[in-house]
Amino acid sequence: MLGIILLFVGGVLLINGVGGLGLIDSRASAVLNFMTGCLALLIGVVMLVRAAAPPDYFPVACVMLFAFNYLYVAICMWLALDMRGFGWFCLFIAITTVPCALLAFDSPDPRFGVFWLVWGSLWLMYFLALVRGFDFGRLLPFATIAIGVLTCWIPGFLILVQRW
């Protein structure tokens, strides 16, 4: 299921980055955010139902971070809401990525430790932009695209074709 989530998160980050460059209307971007958030939520619920022991709940929580992230973005974009609340949620997720990275570095695939830190840096940038008003210029949209492609889309595809 990880490959599926990563593939679609890669796609939505690509679209959000292109939207950040002003090439896509925000409501049009909201649609893919909503679909990706719903997909991640569905996968998270399936994982939750299958969970049998306390260690099974950590991956569920990680998936739900992504699910609620994209659902939050979708609703804010669709309804043209103030994004500062989402910015604070980004700070919460950015902080949460640190222990996620530490746990991933101690796992069978430590590459995900690096991914968690990279994702955390992106969420921190969104917090700084949306809440603190920091102007990253075109860096934030291009970082969103690059991180989406390099840490989600490509790894997700490779996991799905069993080349990871």
Side-chain angles (χ1 to χ4, degrees), residues 15-52:
I15 294 302
N16 288 346
V18 171
L21 293 170
L23 302 174
I24 299 173
D25 176 68
S26 64
R27 285 187 69 181
S29 299
V31 175
L32 187 59
N33 279 275
F34 181 73
M35 291 188 303
T36 302
C38 286
L39 176 64
L41 182 62
L42 177 64
I43 290 172
V45 169
V46 169
M47 292 170 63
L48 182 62
V49 169
R50 291 182 179 174

PDB file of all heavy atoms in Angstrom, residues 15-52:
ATOM      1  N   ILE A  15       1.401  18.617  -8.795  1.00  0.00           N
ATOM      2  CA  ILE A  15       0.312  19.541  -9.127  1.00  0.00           C
ATOM      3  C   ILE A  15       0.328  20.760  -8.204  1.00  0.00           C
ATOM      4  O   ILE A  15       0.139  21.897  -8.650  1.00  0.00           O
ATOM      5  CB  ILE A  15      -1.052  18.814  -9.060  1.00  0.00           C
ATOM      6  CG1 ILE A  15      -1.132  17.745 -10.141  1.00  0.00           C
ATOM      7  CG2 ILE A  15      -2.216  19.793  -9.154  1.00  0.00           C
ATOM      8  CD1 ILE A  15      -0.948  18.246 -11.556  1.00  0.00           C
ATOM      9  N   ASN A  16       0.567  20.546  -6.904  1.00  0.00           N
ATOM     10  CA  ASN A  16       0.612  21.682  -5.975  1.00  0.00           C
ATOM     11  C   ASN A  16       1.785  22.612  -6.286  1.00  0.00           C
ATOM     12  O   ASN A  16       1.660  23.836  -6.175  1.00  0.00           O
ATOM     13  CB  ASN A  16       0.665  21.196  -4.531  1.00  0.00           C
ATOM     14  CG  ASN A  16      -0.646  20.612  -4.072  1.00  0.00           C
ATOM     15  OD1 ASN A  16      -1.684  20.778  -4.707  1.00  0.00           O
ATOM     16  ND2 ASN A  16      -0.608  19.899  -2.961  1.00  0.00           N
ATOM     17  N   GLY A  17       2.916  22.038  -6.675  1.00  0.00           N
ATOM     18  CA  GLY A  17       4.052  22.869  -7.051  1.00  0.00           C
ATOM     19  C   GLY A  17       3.768  23.677  -8.313  1.00  0.00           C
ATOM     20  O   GLY A  17       4.067  24.870  -8.377  1.00  0.00           O
ATOM     21  N   VAL A  18       3.171  23.034  -9.304  1.00  0.00           N
ATOM     22  CA  VAL A  18       2.798  23.737 -10.528  1.00  0.00           C
ATOM     23  C   VAL A  18       1.773  24.822 -10.202  1.00  0.00           C
ATOM     24  O   VAL A  18       1.840  25.937 -10.729  1.00  0.00           O
ATOM     25  CB  VAL A  18       2.272  22.735 -11.589  1.00  0.00           C
ATOM     26  CG1 VAL A  18       1.680  23.464 -12.779  1.00  0.00           C
ATOM     27  CG2 VAL A  18       3.392  21.798 -12.032  1.00  0.00           C
ATOM     28  N   GLY A  19       0.841  24.518  -9.303  1.00  0.00           N
ATOM     29  CA  GLY A  19      -0.129  25.521  -8.862  1.00  0.00           C
ATOM     30  C   GLY A  19       0.540  26.680  -8.158  1.00  0.00           C
ATOM     31  O   GLY A  19       0.157  27.838  -8.333  1.00  0.00           O
ATOM     32  N   GLY A  20       1.567  26.380  -7.362  1.00  0.00           N
ATOM     33  CA  GLY A  20       2.312  27.429  -6.682  1.00  0.00           C
ATOM     34  C   GLY A  20       3.048  28.346  -7.641  1.00  0.00           C
ATOM     35  O   GLY A  20       3.356  29.493  -7.306  1.00  0.00           O
ATOM     36  N   LEU A  21       3.315  27.858  -8.838  1.00  0.00           N
ATOM     37  CA  LEU A  21       3.935  28.685  -9.875  1.00  0.00           C
ATOM     38  C   LEU A  21       2.898  29.493 -10.646  1.00  0.00           C
ATOM     39  O   LEU A  21       3.232  30.243 -11.555  1.00  0.00           O
ATOM     40  CB  LEU A  21       4.732  27.806 -10.846  1.00  0.00           C
ATOM     41  CG  LEU A  21       5.960  27.120 -10.250  1.00  0.00           C
ATOM     42  CD1 LEU A  21       6.518  26.092 -11.230  1.00  0.00           C
ATOM     43  CD2 LEU A  21       7.015  28.149  -9.864  1.00  0.00           C
ATOM     44  N   GLY A  22       1.627  29.313 -10.279  1.00  0.00           N
ATOM     45  CA  GLY A  22       0.550  30.064 -10.903  1.00  0.00           C
ATOM     46  C   GLY A  22       0.063  29.483 -12.220  1.00  0.00           C
ATOM     47  O   GLY A  22      -0.626  30.158 -12.981  1.00  0.00           O
ATOM     48  N   LEU A  23       0.392  28.223 -12.485  1.00  0.00           N
ATOM     49  CA  LEU A  23       0.031  27.613 -13.765  1.00  0.00           C
ATOM     50  C   LEU A  23      -1.257  26.800 -13.706  1.00  0.00           C
ATOM     51  O   LEU A  23      -1.720  26.325 -14.745  1.00  0.00           O
ATOM     52  CB  LEU A  23       1.186  26.727 -14.253  1.00  0.00           C
ATOM     53  CG  LEU A  23       2.521  27.462 -14.431  1.00  0.00           C
ATOM     54  CD1 LEU A  23       3.633  26.481 -14.773  1.00  0.00           C
ATOM     55  CD2 LEU A  23       2.399  28.545 -15.494  1.00  0.00           C
ATOM     56  N   ILE A  24      -1.804  26.610 -12.496  1.00  0.00           N
ATOM     57  CA  ILE A  24      -3.053  25.877 -12.308  1.00  0.00           C
ATOM     58  C   ILE A  24      -3.884  26.645 -11.287  1.00  0.00           C
ATOM     59  O   ILE A  24      -3.366  27.101 -10.264  1.00  0.00           O
ATOM     60  CB  ILE A  24      -2.807  24.441 -11.782  1.00  0.00           C
ATOM     61  CG1 ILE A  24      -1.979  23.629 -12.767  1.00  0.00           C
ATOM     62  CG2 ILE A  24      -4.119  23.719 -11.506  1.00  0.00           C
ATOM     63  CD1 ILE A  24      -1.572  22.271 -12.237  1.00  0.00           C
ATOM     64  N   ASP A  25      -5.168  26.763 -11.538  1.00  0.00           N
ATOM     65  CA  ASP A  25      -6.090  27.385 -10.591  1.00  0.00           C
ATOM     66  C   ASP A  25      -6.139  26.561  -9.302  1.00  0.00           C
ATOM     67  O   ASP A  25      -6.108  25.321  -9.346  1.00  0.00           O
ATOM     68  CB  ASP A  25      -7.481  27.452 -11.229  1.00  0.00           C
ATOM     69  CG  ASP A  25      -8.520  28.004 -10.274  1.00  0.00           C
ATOM     70  OD1 ASP A  25      -8.430  29.199  -9.943  1.00  0.00           O
ATOM     71  OD2 ASP A  25      -9.395  27.217  -9.856  1.00  0.00           O
ATOM     72  N   SER A  26      -6.224  27.224  -8.153  1.00  0.00           N
ATOM     73  CA  SER A  26      -6.195  26.505  -6.873  1.00  0.00           C
ATOM     74  C   SER A  26      -7.367  25.546  -6.716  1.00  0.00           C
ATOM     75  O   SER A  26      -7.220  24.465  -6.139  1.00  0.00           O
ATOM     76  CB  SER A  26      -6.128  27.482  -5.701  1.00  0.00           C
ATOM     77  OG  SER A  26      -7.285  28.278  -5.654  1.00  0.00           O
ATOM     78  N   ARG A  27      -8.532  25.907  -7.213  1.00  0.00           N
ATOM     79  CA  ARG A  27      -9.674  24.977  -7.102  1.00  0.00           C
ATOM     80  C   ARG A  27      -9.459  23.737  -7.948  1.00  0.00           C
ATOM     81  O   ARG A  27      -9.886  22.649  -7.581  1.00  0.00           O
ATOM     82  CB  ARG A  27     -10.978  25.671  -7.468  1.00  0.00           C
ATOM     83  CG  ARG A  27     -11.428  26.613  -6.348  1.00  0.00           C
ATOM     84  CD  ARG A  27     -12.771  27.183  -6.580  1.00  0.00           C
ATOM     85  NE  ARG A  27     -13.792  26.143  -6.453  1.00  0.00           N
ATOM     86  CZ  ARG A  27     -15.081  26.351  -6.625  1.00  0.00           C
ATOM     87  NH1 ARG A  27     -15.512  27.543  -6.939  1.00  0.00           N
ATOM     88  NH2 ARG A  27     -15.941  25.374  -6.489  1.00  0.00           N
ATOM     89  N   ALA A  28      -8.779  23.880  -9.078  1.00  0.00           N
ATOM     90  CA  ALA A  28      -8.459  22.719  -9.902  1.00  0.00           C
ATOM     91  C   ALA A  28      -7.464  21.819  -9.166  1.00  0.00           C
ATOM     92  O   ALA A  28      -7.582  20.584  -9.205  1.00  0.00           O
ATOM     93  CB  ALA A  28      -7.910  23.154 -11.254  1.00  0.00           C
ATOM     94  N   SER A  29      -6.506  22.411  -8.470  1.00  0.00           N
ATOM     95  CA  SER A  29      -5.554  21.634  -7.667  1.00  0.00           C
ATOM     96  C   SER A  29      -6.250  20.953  -6.495  1.00  0.00           C
ATOM     97  O   SER A  29      -5.858  19.865  -6.075  1.00  0.00           O
ATOM     98  CB  SER A  29      -4.449  22.536  -7.115  1.00  0.00           C
ATOM     99  OG  SER A  29      -3.719  23.127  -8.145  1.00  0.00           O
ATOM    100  N   ALA A  30      -7.268  21.597  -5.974  1.00  0.00           N
ATOM    101  CA  ALA A  30      -7.992  21.047  -4.824  1.00  0.00           C
ATOM    102  C   ALA A  30      -8.583  19.676  -5.131  1.00  0.00           C
ATOM    103  O   ALA A  30      -8.653  18.813  -4.246  1.00  0.00           O
ATOM    104  CB  ALA A  30      -9.095  22.008  -4.378  1.00  0.00           C
ATOM    105  N   VAL A  31      -8.981  19.461  -6.364  1.00  0.00           N
ATOM    106  CA  VAL A  31      -9.617  18.189  -6.733  1.00  0.00           C
ATOM    107  C   VAL A  31      -8.658  17.029  -6.504  1.00  0.00           C
ATOM    108  O   VAL A  31      -9.011  16.035  -5.866  1.00  0.00           O
ATOM    109  CB  VAL A  31     -10.116  18.227  -8.195  1.00  0.00           C
ATOM    110  CG1 VAL A  31     -10.653  16.876  -8.620  1.00  0.00           C
ATOM    111  CG2 VAL A  31     -11.175  19.311  -8.373  1.00  0.00           C
ATOM    112  N   LEU A  32      -7.429  17.127  -6.997  1.00  0.00           N
ATOM    113  CA  LEU A  32      -6.466  16.044  -6.809  1.00  0.00           C
ATOM    114  C   LEU A  32      -6.069  15.917  -5.343  1.00  0.00           C
ATOM    115  O   LEU A  32      -5.851  14.804  -4.850  1.00  0.00           O
ATOM    116  CB  LEU A  32      -5.236  16.227  -7.693  1.00  0.00           C
ATOM    117  CG  LEU A  32      -4.257  15.048  -7.675  1.00  0.00           C
ATOM    118  CD1 LEU A  32      -4.931  13.759  -8.133  1.00  0.00           C
ATOM    119  CD2 LEU A  32      -3.048  15.351  -8.534  1.00  0.00           C
ATOM    120  N   ASN A  33      -5.969  17.029  -4.630  1.00  0.00           N
ATOM    121  CA  ASN A  33      -5.702  16.969  -3.192  1.00  0.00           C
ATOM    122  C   ASN A  33      -6.800  16.186  -2.483  1.00  0.00           C
ATOM    123  O   ASN A  33      -6.521  15.353  -1.614  1.00  0.00           O
ATOM    124  CB  ASN A  33      -5.586  18.374  -2.602  1.00  0.00           C
ATOM    125  CG  ASN A  33      -4.236  18.988  -2.824  1.00  0.00           C
ATOM    126  OD1 ASN A  33      -3.324  18.768  -2.059  1.00  0.00           O
ATOM    127  ND2 ASN A  33      -4.105  19.750  -3.901  1.00  0.00           N
ATOM    128  N   PHE A  34      -8.042  16.443  -2.848  1.00  0.00           N
ATOM    129  CA  PHE A  34      -9.168  15.738  -2.230  1.00  0.00           C
ATOM    130  C   PHE A  34      -9.120  14.247  -2.555  1.00  0.00           C
ATOM    131  O   PHE A  34      -9.274  13.406  -1.670  1.00  0.00           O
ATOM    132  CB  PHE A  34     -10.497  16.351  -2.687  1.00  0.00           C
ATOM    133  CG  PHE A  34     -11.687  15.701  -2.066  1.00  0.00           C
ATOM    134  CD1 PHE A  34     -12.007  15.917  -0.726  1.00  0.00           C
ATOM    135  CD2 PHE A  34     -12.492  14.847  -2.800  1.00  0.00           C
ATOM    136  CE1 PHE A  34     -13.097  15.300  -0.138  1.00  0.00           C
ATOM    137  CE2 PHE A  34     -13.591  14.228  -2.231  1.00  0.00           C
ATOM    138  CZ  PHE A  34     -13.894  14.452  -0.895  1.00  0.00           C
ATOM    139  N   MET A  35      -8.895  13.915  -3.815  1.00  0.00           N
ATOM    140  CA  MET A  35      -8.859  12.500  -4.202  1.00  0.00           C
ATOM    141  C   MET A  35      -7.695  11.766  -3.523  1.00  0.00           C
ATOM    142  O   MET A  35      -7.860  10.652  -3.026  1.00  0.00           O
ATOM    143  CB  MET A  35      -8.776  12.365  -5.716  1.00  0.00           C
ATOM    144  CG  MET A  35     -10.047  12.800  -6.420  1.00  0.00           C
ATOM    145  SD  MET A  35     -10.103  12.468  -8.200  1.00  0.00           S
ATOM    146  CE  MET A  35      -8.673  13.312  -8.813  1.00  0.00           C
ATOM    147  N   THR A  36      -6.530  12.407  -3.470  1.00  0.00           N
ATOM    148  CA  THR A  36      -5.375  11.789  -2.824  1.00  0.00           C
ATOM    149  C   THR A  36      -5.597  11.659  -1.326  1.00  0.00           C
ATOM    150  O   THR A  36      -5.262  10.634  -0.721  1.00  0.00           O
ATOM    151  CB  THR A  36      -4.096  12.599  -3.125  1.00  0.00           C
ATOM    152  OG1 THR A  36      -3.918  12.661  -4.541  1.00  0.00           O
ATOM    153  CG2 THR A  36      -2.875  11.974  -2.482  1.00  0.00           C
ATOM    154  N   GLY A  37      -6.177  12.687  -0.710  1.00  0.00           N
ATOM    155  CA  GLY A  37      -6.493  12.618   0.715  1.00  0.00           C
ATOM    156  C   GLY A  37      -7.487  11.505   1.020  1.00  0.00           C
ATOM    157  O   GLY A  37      -7.326  10.771   1.997  1.00  0.00           O
ATOM    158  N   CYS A  38      -8.493  11.357   0.174  1.00  0.00           N
ATOM    159  CA  CYS A  38      -9.490  10.283   0.371  1.00  0.00           C
ATOM    160  C   CYS A  38      -8.852   8.909   0.186  1.00  0.00           C
ATOM    161  O   CYS A  38      -9.136   7.980   0.952  1.00  0.00           O
ATOM    162  CB  CYS A  38     -10.664  10.452  -0.588  1.00  0.00           C
ATOM    163  SG  CYS A  38     -11.760  11.796  -0.130  1.00  0.00           S
ATOM    164  N   LEU A  39      -7.987   8.775  -0.820  1.00  0.00           N
ATOM    165  CA  LEU A  39      -7.294   7.504  -1.040  1.00  0.00           C
ATOM    166  C   LEU A  39      -6.432   7.147   0.171  1.00  0.00           C
ATOM    167  O   LEU A  39      -6.472   6.009   0.665  1.00  0.00           O
ATOM    168  CB  LEU A  39      -6.436   7.572  -2.301  1.00  0.00           C
ATOM    169  CG  LEU A  39      -5.580   6.335  -2.585  1.00  0.00           C
ATOM    170  CD1 LEU A  39      -6.457   5.112  -2.849  1.00  0.00           C
ATOM    171  CD2 LEU A  39      -4.644   6.608  -3.762  1.00  0.00           C
ATOM    172  N   ALA A  40      -5.655   8.105   0.662  1.00  0.00           N
ATOM    173  CA  ALA A  40      -4.808   7.858   1.834  1.00  0.00           C
ATOM    174  C   ALA A  40      -5.660   7.537   3.058  1.00  0.00           C
ATOM    175  O   ALA A  40      -5.304   6.665   3.852  1.00  0.00           O
ATOM    176  CB  ALA A  40      -3.898   9.058   2.095  1.00  0.00           C
ATOM    177  N   LEU A  41      -6.777   8.235   3.202  1.00  0.00           N
ATOM    178  CA  LEU A  41      -7.676   7.957   4.329  1.00  0.00           C
ATOM    179  C   LEU A  41      -8.223   6.536   4.241  1.00  0.00           C
ATOM    180  O   LEU A  41      -8.248   5.800   5.237  1.00  0.00           O
ATOM    181  CB  LEU A  41      -8.810   8.975   4.363  1.00  0.00           C
ATOM    182  CG  LEU A  41      -9.802   8.854   5.518  1.00  0.00           C
ATOM    183  CD1 LEU A  41      -9.108   9.067   6.855  1.00  0.00           C
ATOM    184  CD2 LEU A  41     -10.929   9.875   5.331  1.00  0.00           C
ATOM    185  N   LEU A  42      -8.638   6.126   3.059  1.00  0.00           N
ATOM    186  CA  LEU A  42      -9.147   4.770   2.864  1.00  0.00           C
ATOM    187  C   LEU A  42      -8.082   3.731   3.187  1.00  0.00           C
ATOM    188  O   LEU A  42      -8.337   2.753   3.902  1.00  0.00           O
ATOM    189  CB  LEU A  42      -9.648   4.593   1.427  1.00  0.00           C
ATOM    190  CG  LEU A  42     -10.144   3.197   1.055  1.00  0.00           C
ATOM    191  CD1 LEU A  42     -11.379   2.831   1.874  1.00  0.00           C
ATOM    192  CD2 LEU A  42     -10.435   3.125  -0.435  1.00  0.00           C
ATOM    193  N   ILE A  43      -6.878   3.939   2.693  1.00  0.00           N
ATOM    194  CA  ILE A  43      -5.775   3.013   2.981  1.00  0.00           C
ATOM    195  C   ILE A  43      -5.474   3.005   4.471  1.00  0.00           C
ATOM    196  O   ILE A  43      -5.258   1.943   5.062  1.00  0.00           O
ATOM    197  CB  ILE A  43      -4.535   3.372   2.141  1.00  0.00           C
ATOM    198  CG1 ILE A  43      -4.809   3.033   0.672  1.00  0.00           C
ATOM    199  CG2 ILE A  43      -3.298   2.649   2.656  1.00  0.00           C
ATOM    200  CD1 ILE A  43      -3.738   3.513  -0.291  1.00  0.00           C
ATOM    201  N   GLY A  44      -5.489   4.171   5.094  1.00  0.00           N
ATOM    202  CA  GLY A  44      -5.257   4.246   6.536  1.00  0.00           C
ATOM    203  C   GLY A  44      -6.318   3.495   7.332  1.00  0.00           C
ATOM    204  O   GLY A  44      -6.002   2.810   8.308  1.00  0.00           O
ATOM    205  N   VAL A  45      -7.564   3.610   6.917  1.00  0.00           N
ATOM    206  CA  VAL A  45      -8.645   2.891   7.610  1.00  0.00           C
ATOM    207  C   VAL A  45      -8.480   1.382   7.435  1.00  0.00           C
ATOM    208  O   VAL A  45      -8.646   0.612   8.394  1.00  0.00           O
ATOM    209  CB  VAL A  45     -10.034   3.372   7.123  1.00  0.00           C
ATOM    210  CG1 VAL A  45     -11.144   2.457   7.617  1.00  0.00           C
ATOM    211  CG2 VAL A  45     -10.277   4.809   7.577  1.00  0.00           C
ATOM    212  N   VAL A  46      -8.117   0.949   6.226  1.00  0.00           N
ATOM    213  CA  VAL A  46      -7.866  -0.482   6.003  1.00  0.00           C
ATOM    214  C   VAL A  46      -6.731  -0.957   6.897  1.00  0.00           C
ATOM    215  O   VAL A  46      -6.816  -2.022   7.532  1.00  0.00           O
ATOM    216  CB  VAL A  46      -7.565  -0.764   4.513  1.00  0.00           C
ATOM    217  CG1 VAL A  46      -7.032  -2.179   4.310  1.00  0.00           C
ATOM    218  CG2 VAL A  46      -8.802  -0.529   3.661  1.00  0.00           C
ATOM    219  N   MET A  47      -5.663  -0.181   6.975  1.00  0.00           N
ATOM    220  CA  MET A  47      -4.539  -0.542   7.844  1.00  0.00           C
ATOM    221  C   MET A  47      -4.970  -0.581   9.304  1.00  0.00           C
ATOM    222  O   MET A  47      -4.539  -1.463  10.062  1.00  0.00           O
ATOM    223  CB  MET A  47      -3.390   0.454   7.655  1.00  0.00           C
ATOM    224  CG  MET A  47      -2.726   0.368   6.303  1.00  0.00           C
ATOM    225  SD  MET A  47      -1.569   1.729   5.996  1.00  0.00           S
ATOM    226  CE  MET A  47      -0.354   1.469   7.280  1.00  0.00           C
ATOM    227  N   LEU A  48      -5.811   0.359   9.709  1.00  0.00           N
ATOM    228  CA  LEU A  48      -6.297   0.408  11.089  1.00  0.00           C
ATOM    229  C   LEU A  48      -7.115  -0.838  11.418  1.00  0.00           C
ATOM    230  O   LEU A  48      -6.945  -1.436  12.482  1.00  0.00           O
ATOM    231  CB  LEU A  48      -7.125   1.668  11.312  1.00  0.00           C
ATOM    232  CG  LEU A  48      -7.681   1.898  12.713  1.00  0.00           C
ATOM    233  CD1 LEU A  48      -6.552   2.029  13.728  1.00  0.00           C
ATOM    234  CD2 LEU A  48      -8.558   3.134  12.726  1.00  0.00           C
ATOM    235  N   VAL A  49      -7.983  -1.221  10.504  1.00  0.00           N
ATOM    236  CA  VAL A  49      -8.816  -2.407  10.723  1.00  0.00           C
ATOM    237  C   VAL A  49      -7.950  -3.666  10.814  1.00  0.00           C
ATOM    238  O   VAL A  49      -8.228  -4.559  11.608  1.00  0.00           O
ATOM    239  CB  VAL A  49      -9.872  -2.539   9.600  1.00  0.00           C
ATOM    240  CG1 VAL A  49     -10.562  -3.888   9.638  1.00  0.00           C
ATOM    241  CG2 VAL A  49     -10.885  -1.404   9.689  1.00  0.00           C
ATOM    242  N   ARG A  50      -6.889  -3.715  10.037  1.00  0.00           N
ATOM    243  CA  ARG A  50      -5.995  -4.880  10.038  1.00  0.00           C
ATOM    244  C   ARG A  50      -5.023  -4.886  11.212  1.00  0.00           C
ATOM    245  O   ARG A  50      -4.392  -5.911  11.482  1.00  0.00           O
ATOM    246  CB  ARG A  50      -5.200  -4.923   8.738  1.00  0.00           C
ATOM    247  CG  ARG A  50      -6.033  -5.241   7.528  1.00  0.00           C
ATOM    248  CD  ARG A  50      -5.149  -5.297   6.309  1.00  0.00           C
ATOM    249  NE  ARG A  50      -5.904  -5.638   5.109  1.00  0.00           N
ATOM    250  CZ  ARG A  50      -5.395  -5.640   3.893  1.00  0.00           C
ATOM    251  NH1 ARG A  50      -4.132  -5.322   3.696  1.00  0.00           N
ATOM    252  NH2 ARG A  50      -6.151  -5.960   2.864  1.00  0.00           N
ATOM    253  N   ALA A  51      -4.852  -3.759  11.867  1.00  0.00           N
ATOM    254  CA  ALA A  51      -3.881  -3.651  12.963  1.00  0.00           C
ATOM    255  C   ALA A  51      -4.234  -4.634  14.085  1.00  0.00           C
ATOM    256  O   ALA A  51      -5.386  -4.732  14.492  1.00  0.00           O
ATOM    257  CB  ALA A  51      -3.845  -2.226  13.499  1.00  0.00           C
ATOM    258  N   ALA A  52      -3.218  -5.344  14.542  1.00  0.00           N
ATOM    259  CA  ALA A  52      -3.449  -6.355  15.568  1.00  0.00           C
ATOM    260  C   ALA A  52      -2.637  -6.113  16.839  1.00  0.00           C
ATOM    261  O   ALA A  52      -2.958  -6.661  17.885  1.00  0.00           O
ATOM    262  CB  ALA A  52      -3.123  -7.742  15.008  1.00  0.00           C
TER     263      ALA A  52
END
